[in-house]
Amino acid sequence: MLISTKGRYAVRVLIDLAEHVDDGYIPLKVVAARQEVSEKYLESILKVLVKHGILRGLRGKGGGYRLGIDPQECTLDMVLRLTEETLAPVSCLEEIYQPPCPRAQNCKTLPVWKGLGEVIDTYLKGITLQDLVNGTAGKK
């Protein structure tokens, strides 16, 4: 599993918006400048987050983006599952893997990879956007 720039930038933007939640809707160009990310690339990421209710978008004068979900309810798992193709540690565990691996029934390493996938899932589900804003993520 390798988290792409898409996933990392999504998390950075969400932290940014959570830190500026009292500022209302924040224009894309402001967020892009603060995060040093291309507006065009960032817009494609934010569309996904708006579509799934993580963010709210408003067009026109006074428009921009703001959180659409409470930072305590938004987990890292939620965000990365929207922005990454997969979080599986090996390809044979990917939901899109077709046809199923012909070695799965006799694979002695499959339980290890499944266990690793469960650890990753549990870890990411245990970190909220609020934890990231507070600087307490990963310090448990």
Side-chain angles (χ1 to χ4, degrees), residues 20-112:
H20 295 92
V21 72
D22 294 333
D23 297 349
Y25 285 92
I26 300 173
L28 175 66
K29 68 179 182 179
V30 171
V31 178
R34 286 195 298 230
Q35 295 304 313
E36 300 175 340
V37 178
S38 151
E39 286 182 44
K40 187 172 178 113
Y41 187 49
L42 196 56
E43 186 173 31
S44 69
I45 296 168
L46 299 186
K47 281 183 182 180
V48 171
L49 299 176
V50 168
K51 179 180 176 183
H52 290 91
I54 304 292
L55 291 180
R56 288 190 187 139
L58 182 65
R59 294 179 186 230
K61 186 173 173 139
Y65 295 91
R66 68 178 300 148
L67 291 180
I69 188 172
D70 186 313
Q72 294 178 357
E73 301 297 320
C74 181
T75 66
L76 202 49
D77 178 74
M78 292 168 65
V79 177
L80 294 177
R81 289 205 182 275
L82 293 174
T83 57
E84 298 300 316
E85 287 186 28
T86 182
L87 295 178
V90 292
S91 62
C92 63
L93 293 179
E94 292 178 8
E95 294 175 12
I96 59 172
Y97 192 89
Q98 293 298 324
C101 178
R103 298 181 47 111
Q105 285 193 332
N106 297 318
C107 181
K108 301 219 185 260
T109 61
L110 188 58
V112 173

